[in-house]
Amino acid sequence: MVSIRDVSAAAGVSVATVSRALTMPDRVAKATRDRVLKVTEELGYHPNLVARSLRSQQSRLIVVLVTNIANPMLSRCIRGIEKLARELGYSVLLGDTQNDNLIEASYIRLLAARQVDGVILLSSRLHGRVTDLILKANPQAAVVNACACLDVTPCSTVGIDDVGSARVMTEHLLSLGHRRIAVLTGPEESPHSRDRMFGYRLQLRAAGVQFDESLVVSGEFTMKSGADAVDRVLAIPTRPTALFCFNDEMAIGAIQRLTALGHSVPGDISVAGFDDIEFAAFTSPALTTIHQPTADMGTTAMNLLHRRLSGEMQVETVTLPTELMIRQTTAPPRAEP
Amino acid sequence: MVSIRDVSAAAGVSVATVSRALTMPDRVAKATRDRVLKVTEELGYHPNLVARSLRSQQSRLIVVLVTNIANPMLSRCIRGIEKLARELGYSVLLGDTQNDNLIEASYIRLLAARQVDGVILLSSRLHGRVTDLILKANPQAAVVNACACLDVTPCSTVGIDDVGSARVMTEHLLSLGHRRIAVLTGPEESPHSRDRMFGYRLQLRAAGVQFDESLVVSGEFTMKSGADAVDRVLAIPTRPTALFCFNDEMAIGAIQRLTALGHSVPGDISVAGFDDIEFAAFTSPALTTIHQPTADMGTTAMNLLHRRLSGEMQVETVTLPTELMIRQTTAPPRAEP
DNA sequence: CTGAAAGCGCTTACAG
DNA sequence: CTGAAAGCGCTTACAG
């Protein structure tokens, strides 16, 4: 590997000058700078980032902590992060925590060991306090939460309006004429699930429809849990005419099971999802859902992180717009006999 | 941050001894070692990996180069890689190349700049030569190909038997009584598509069924291309009774479009996929496909890389078994009228 | 504007 | 078995 020494020798200047020519060009005479740059080019010199990190105490390395990189929402979000990170000169270290506290802790240790500049959190649990843990161990680290900021320590956050979006979907179903709208929630510790539930209730009330506890069925945000929930939904005394699933995976599972049992969607029951993952547009029939700007969330998160790393000390919160995607799984309820 | 100096001071030994106690414990007297470890524990010392990298010329950092991290197969594979990498003490840097040569090149530069130890390739193009490029720029790097090794330079490889697996699926369709089996291929530059095509033709021949060029329709491995292909499939003169899609996404797209056009799957036409992504089991009806051990591929790739980084100089090739998953989208063809 | 020197936090021959 | 010293490749006050 060609090092800064080789460049300094070839250009006939000190290594300090080479370093300056490359990192603060305006503090070097034009003639010198040009010579250094020319030699740099000729020798194919690229600064050793490891050495630079050690000396400058910043690595241009960020960690993305995610509960499951195989989740379509999260992987798209990471794609957005990676793209902007690369453009801004950062590298992204992947940390798939599997929602495991030990793995999380091991990554928190890594932050210091690798002199990581910042962290983007893509995991949201109601009682996680990851941000707090990170900042306790790494007071200098910048943290951006791309899910929901639930810790004591404030940090920059990007997300959507879960409450409002759930209201929009609920209103869509109400406007079709549905009154008995079942919901399939996510796990209890999910802030998204909690907020969507809140939006659902809010909109029911706004429409003067009484909330009915028996219409609430709980799932795990997985396709299997969506399929499994169908039996419980169908067993609800006065059968609901619509099912609002708090994510697309559960909706997909539910549709499969409903169809397999001989129920027509949306003929017998309307089904709605949330997220608009890529597959949502390709179920049979195509799923009505709430679109989240997933890749945007990633780039926005990276943007917020970059700002903090550039000295911007203010904590910011960005809420991105969602969109109701009306497709084929929702329709007016069948007329009463 | 507490450094090796602090430990050496507190333990009353030289930094050299601290370093040895931690990295080659058997070259240090037991008493000394114990004292060092105790102090290390007490002070909460963790070695600075950046300094270690700079000095030892190895970073325990690997790069995963992937065409699209939002692809379900690839993200699951990465999950497998990350898990084992973490357990072995490596960190994984994510490189989403979007199949773009410039991005690829920027990551190849990064390899040297960050003193990356090795690379796992999760992108396969017939004429890519990424391996060659990497090794030209980083002769010391270890490369593992988790798709198909297509470059001049040999490298450790993990994959499945695409040809054999396609034969198995073709045989499944033949055994159901299908004779006119259309195929929906991937893009031309995909080695997987090429091999699956080969397997299909091989098995037709083995069964004494004449290959018919008009049954070949080409797609892009996307759901949309699967949906779009349906019109071309339906326009084939003597209409095929089965459609073998070379990945699940295209099968999902095809099923949606077929259903939307009023064709029953598998009543009017059988549809088969390849890969067994998570969604394959939850289409309506559930997709018959070839299961790939995706996460295994990831851990195996990491294993091969680790072996090479541990001095094992031999290039190895591992072929993982696949499995035919018979679900609901394939059935005997409708009896001739 | 430029250079000599110190130092980031480790590891590793080299002595003893 | 242990320590003093050199050095990995940079950056950055400090002088001039």
Side-chain angles (χ1 to χ4, degrees), chain A residues 40-299:
Chain A
T40 295
E41 182 76 17
E42 284 169 7
L43 298 184
Y45 168 68
H46 295 288
N48 181 323
L49 299 185
V50 177
R52 183 180 280 178
S53 299
L54 181 60
R55 179 58 233 247
S56 66
Q57 305 283 35
Q58 56 160 328
S59 58
R60 295 237 132 201
L61 211 56
I62 66 160
V63 163
V64 175
L65 234 44
V66 59
T67 47
N68 179 3
I69 207 214
N71 175 300
M73 293 294 285
L74 300 177
S75 61
R76 294 203 69 169
C77 189
I78 291 179
R79 215 170 182 222
I81 293 171
E82 191 270 355
K83 185 175 187 303
L84 185 56
R86 180 168 35 71
E87 289 167 6
L88 294 172
Y90 296 93
S91 303
V92 359
L93 226 51
L94 180 67
D96 190 318
T97 65
Q98 302 173 49
N99 252 329
D100 178 319
N101 288 326
L102 262 56
I103 298 180
E104 220 165 71
S106 83
Y107 274 107
I108 290 176
R109 274 197 304 279
L110 199 69
L111 260 33
R114 290 214 188 264
Q115 301 196 174
V116 170
D117 292 342
V119 185
I120 294 179
L121 252 34
L122 248 52
S123 55
S124 51
R125 281 173 298 169
L126 229 29
H127 309 295
R129 294 181 158 256
V130 201
T131 314
D132 300 337
L133 288 174
I134 292 173
L135 291 173
K136 210 174 103 193
N138 310 72
Q140 84 302 338
V143 179
V144 170
N145 199 313
C147 296
C149 195
L150 300 158
D151 294 326
V152 177
T153 326
C155 66
S156 287
T157 302
V158 55
I160 58 154
D161 177 4
D162 279 297
V163 177
S165 305
R167 292 188 69 158
V168 168
M169 181 57 86
T170 308
E171 180 53 34
H172 165 63
L173 294 168
L174 287 166
S175 74
L176 286 172
H178 294 281
R179 287 299 171 271
R180 290 193 61 72
I181 304 170
V183 290
L184 179 45
T185 72
E188 253 180 52
E189 67 272 21
S190 161
H192 299 299
S193 180
R194 184 199 51 184
D195 289 355
R196 290 167 198 177
M197 186 67 188
F198 190 57
Y200 161 79
R201 296 187 63 160
L202 230 45
Q203 197 57 25
L204 283 189
R205 184 180 320 164
V209 175
Q210 169 91 43
F211 169 70
D212 178 352
E213 188 79 53
S214 76
L215 290 171
V216 179
V217 173
S218 79
E220 303 288 320
F221 277 159
T222 61
M223 293 187 280
K224 181 167 188 317
S225 73
D228 292 347
V230 164
D231 299 341
R232 278 172 287 148
V233 170
L234 294 176
I236 296 173
T238 315
R239 190 177 285 181
T241 59
L243 174 61
F244 177 13
C245 304
F246 285 178
N247 82 350
D248 289 346
E249 277 91 334
M250 294 195 298
I252 289 170
I255 290 170
Q256 186 192 53
R257 182 106 181 97
L258 284 166
T259 308
L261 291 174
H263 298 280
S264 139
V265 175
D268 298 323
I269 183 166
S270 286
V271 175
F274 200 112
D275 289 348
D276 197 23
I277 61 176
E278 234 187 313
F279 291 93
F282 286 93
T283 52
S284 307
L287 185 66
T288 292
T289 189
I290 296 285
H291 178 79
Q292 288 202 49
T294 323
D296 265 18
M297 280 185 46
T299 52

Side-chain angles (χ1 to χ4, degrees), chain B residues 4 16 19-20 45 48 52 55:
Chain B
I4 197 170
S19 175
R20 278 191 215 99
Y45 168 67
N48 181 322
R52 183 180 278 178
R55 179 59 234 245

Side-chain angles (χ1 to χ4, degrees), chain B residues 23-41:
Chain B
T23 58
M24 12 187 186
D26 38 312
R27 284 194 198 152
V28 166
K30 182 163 179 3
T32 317
R33 190 200 319 150
D34 289 349
R35 189 145 33 93
V36 169
L37 293 181
K38 183 157 158 284
V39 172
T40 296
E41 183 76 16

Side-chain angles (χ1 to χ4, degrees), chain A residues 305-337:
Chain A
L305 187 60
H306 179 56
R307 298 249 283 267
R308 300 237 32 195
L309 293 176
S310 308
E312 199 104 23
M313 273 303 105
Q314 212 160 336
V315 161
E316 299 174 73
T317 298
V318 176
T319 302
L320 262 24
T322 57
E323 192 185 346
L324 172 62
M325 308 297 290
I326 303 180
R327 300 207 178 95
Q328 272 99 50
T329 53
T330 50
R334 181 157 291 171
E336 300 284 330

